[in-house]
Amino acid sequence: MPALVLIGAQWGDEGKGKATDQLGGSVDYVVKFNGGNNAGHTVVIGDETYALHLLPSGILSPGCTPVIGNGVVVDLSVLFQEIDDLEARGFSCERLVISADAHLIASYNRTLDRVAERFLGNRRIGTTGRGIGPTYADKMNRIGIRVQDLFDENILRQKVEGALDLKNQLLVKVYNRNAVTVDAVVEELLSYVDRLRPMVVDSALLLNAALDRGETVLLEGGQATLLDVDHGTYPFVTSSSATAGGACTGSGIPPGRVDKVIAVIKAYTTRVGEGPFPTELHAADGEKLRADGGEYGTTTGRPRRCGWYDAVIARYAARINGVTDFVLTKLDVLTGWESIPVCVAYEVDGKRLEDMPMTQTEFHHAVPVYEYFDGWTEDISRARTFGDLPKNAQDYVRALEQMSGARFSSIGVGPDREQTLELHALL
Ligand code: GDP
Ligand code: IMO
Ligand code: MG
């Protein structure tokens, strides 16, 4: 079995962690290919809840090897804290491997992320403040620090010096902060090297060799299609490639080896941070969705903005990612609504659009065109087959599937592993 990609279709927090964890038991490798500890994936196993940030969700499946790919940005203090926390709860992280090419989040980039946001005022992105944007900017600017640099102190020192030449100007002259010393940065990074060394591998070599042997690799995306730096609602995006294309560049697995693209999509829509969101609900309805869905950020605890399902976004995600299967999540959260609106198209400046508009300005002006579906009141959290769902819930799912551009292969009716209805096998 070749490689599978699993990504988010909307603005993140679709339930990718649960979906990855479910597949984790049947795959050999789970690879995180983009982002860093801006991600927050919640996995519920029985009475226990695990919040994962930097670690691939496959870490909870004893049979699979979790991989932090070259496309990820790694904050070493967060990495080891997460490992320690999981090990204290009885999960071994011994299998974890990390790409030598992954970039490191240095302390000055955490600082710069936060002060830059403050500086932007009402033009801020609403980042997670974890240093993600500045670290990817350094990567593109060719002044980044990579995992492998820790193995050569001379090179590390030179690189940190080069980065700080620029960063200290910014910190001191633009943002009125203290300068950072090369020694302090080098010392902090090197304090992790002994613990890190045994985990570091050529992950592209490892993964391609695994595929040659017929093993299965799941590439797990952080963030989501509309947060992708190229295909998302720029500039209100993250700084990495969160779409299926990013799975290849972020892991070193070529496109021809990818067999399936699974997109996780919520039965409604949420977004954290700033930026346009056509189906957003502002008053009591939005608060009800937030309360019923527990829509508070796993990483920052911020309340998530909530709105109705947007089929224009689903079709866009299907197209950009080449989605073969959708995993629909949180259908249970919609229980109790008399009527459920679904956005089937946009009206932009008096014209009906079935697809995402070309420009960001038009997207800001997009007014949802809604179709209304009859709701249901029955508790569906114990449903285990599609047939267990009330007819109105079945009709809602089938209608979404019909307008979303790929088949629905699984439906979530609760956070637990068990609370899943399988329509088509994903593996
Ligand atoms: P991710 O970032 O895509 O992994 O998603 P998050 O973990 O940030 O947010 C999804 C939340 O929904 C988590 O708290 C999950 O435990 C929960 N969840 C996932 N699937 C379902 C579902 O089908 N129903 C309900 N009620 N909760 C779900
Ligand atoms: P998961 O993997 C939801 C959002 C932030 C902000 C923007 C840029 O859990 O789905 P960044 O810190 O990345 O520079 O912030 O992206 N964002 C997320 N929103 N889920 C996430 O990850 C996110 N990761 C980043 O809120 O709007
Ligand atoms: Mg999340």
Side-chain angles (χ1 to χ4, degrees):
M1 183 87 188
L4 305 126
V5 171
L6 186 141
I7 45 96
Q10 297 154 318
W11 277 288
D13 306 322
E14 295 89 351
K16 298 177 291 294
K18 177 188 166 189
T20 302
D21 172 63
Q22 262 169 339
L23 294 168
S26 324
V27 303
D28 300 296
Y29 292 84
V30 173
V31 187
K32 183 175 165 87
F33 65 80
N34 75 306
N37 57 311
N38 49 347
H41 304 305
T42 307
V43 178
V44 178
I45 307 173
D47 294 335
E48 295 288 322
T49 300
Y50 302 89
L52 303 167
H53 300 283
L54 199 44
L55 296 174
S57 305
I59 198 93
L60 302 175
S61 304
C64 95
T65 302
V67 180
I68 294 184
N70 57 278
V72 174
V73 290
V74 180
D75 185 325
L76 291 172
S77 62
V78 173
L79 175 74
F80 290 116
Q81 187 63 56
E82 235 182 295
I83 291 176
D84 290 345
D85 290 349
L86 264 194
E87 295 206 319
R89 294 176 73 180
F91 278 91
S92 164
C93 296
E94 264 184 359
R95 295 155 289 125
L96 176 70
V97 294
I98 302 176
S99 166
D101 292 339
H103 280 244
L104 296 173
I105 302 181
S107 59
Y108 46 82
N109 280 335
R110 282 193 297 270
T111 310
L112 281 168
D113 190 5
R114 287 173 197 166
V115 291
E117 280 282 280
R118 243 177 279 149
F119 205 74
L120 280 170
N122 60 10
R123 286 181 296 119
R124 71 185 177 276
I125 310 293
T127 73
T128 58
R130 303 299 196 259
I132 306 295
T135 304
Y136 278 112
D138 285 0
K139 174 176 174 175
M140 293 303 166
N141 218 2
R142 293 158 297 187
I143 56 166
I145 314 289
R146 294 193 290 174
V147 164
Q148 59 183 280
D149 297 330
L150 298 193
F151 302 148
D152 185 333
E153 191 175 338
N154 251 337
I155 290 281
L156 177 66
R157 187 166 286 278
Q158 279 173 34
K159 292 197 170 180
V160 172
E161 267 168 16
L164 285 182
D165 275 351
L166 176 74
K167 300 285 169 170
N168 275 333
Q169 301 281 339
L170 270 177
L171 283 168
V172 175
K173 294 190 181 152
V174 179
Y175 296 120
N176 205 20
R177 308 282 296 204
N178 292 329
V180 181
T181 68
V182 174
D183 281 346
V185 174
V186 168
E187 193 183 316
E188 197 212 327
L189 291 175
L190 285 182
S191 70
Y192 300 107
V193 72
D194 291 337
R195 219 176 151 190
L196 189 66
R197 199 185 302 272
M199 303 175 181
V200 179
V201 295
D202 177 341
S203 51
L205 180 65
L206 178 86
L207 294 170
N208 278 289
L211 289 170
D212 289 343
R213 289 193 300 271
E215 293 178 351
T216 310
V217 175
L218 177 68
L219 298 155
E220 176 195 19
Q223 295 74 54
T225 304
L226 292 179
L227 289 173
D228 181 277
V229 69
D230 281 274
H231 301 290
T233 48
Y234 190 92
F236 301 102
V237 292
T238 190
S239 300
S240 69
S241 299
T243 44
C248 294
T249 51
S251 68
I253 292 179
R257 300 198 94 156
V258 174
D259 190 49
K260 258 187 191 170
V261 178
I262 301 161
V264 185
I265 194 160
K266 247 182 241 195
Y268 51 97
T269 312
T270 63
R271 161 160 222 178
V272 198
E274 307 301 317
F277 178 178
T279 62
E280 181 171 15
L281 292 165
H282 292 280
D285 284 355
E287 271 154 39
K288 177 169 163 54
L289 270 184
R290 186 176 308 121
D292 291 353
E295 296 295 354
Y296 293 88
T298 309
T299 298
T300 58
R302 289 179 288 178
R304 296 174 180 153
R305 299 157 63 192
C306 297
W308 299 119
Y309 189 88
D310 186 332
V312 181
I313 288 175
R315 290 194 290 272
Y316 180 71
R319 186 164 72 245
I320 292 290
N321 297 292
V323 173
T324 56
D325 301 80
F326 276 113
V327 166
L328 183 75
T329 62
K330 300 192 110 165
L331 184 65
D332 53 301
V333 173
L334 293 180
T335 299
W337 291 86
E338 207 177 306
S339 166
I340 307 173
V342 172
C343 170
V344 296
Y346 298 143
E347 210 176 274
V348 181
D349 304 329
K351 268 198 350 223
R352 183 182 164 110
L353 292 186
E354 307 288 330
D355 290 310
M356 280 291 263
M358 185 177 80
T359 69
Q360 189 72 6
T361 305
E362 291 168 298
F363 191 60
H364 274 272
H365 294 172
V367 177
V369 176
Y370 284 118
E371 247 179 56
Y372 295 83
F373 293 86
D374 290 337
W376 59 92
T377 51
E378 299 87 334
D379 175 9
I380 61 170
S381 64
R382 287 192 182 78
R384 292 297 173 267
T385 67
F386 189 69
D388 294 341
L389 294 176
K391 181 173 179 307
N392 287 351
Q394 293 189 15
D395 290 348
Y396 178 74
V397 171
R398 287 302 180 207
L400 297 193
E401 181 177 40
Q402 228 251 319
M403 56 180 95
S404 297
R407 68 180 187 181
F408 282 12
S409 293
S410 142
I411 300 169
V413 293
D416 199 84
R417 279 177 175 173
E418 308 283 295
Q419 293 174 297
T420 307
L421 323 179
E422 188 181 85
L423 308 185
H424 305 281
L426 287 170
L427 276 168

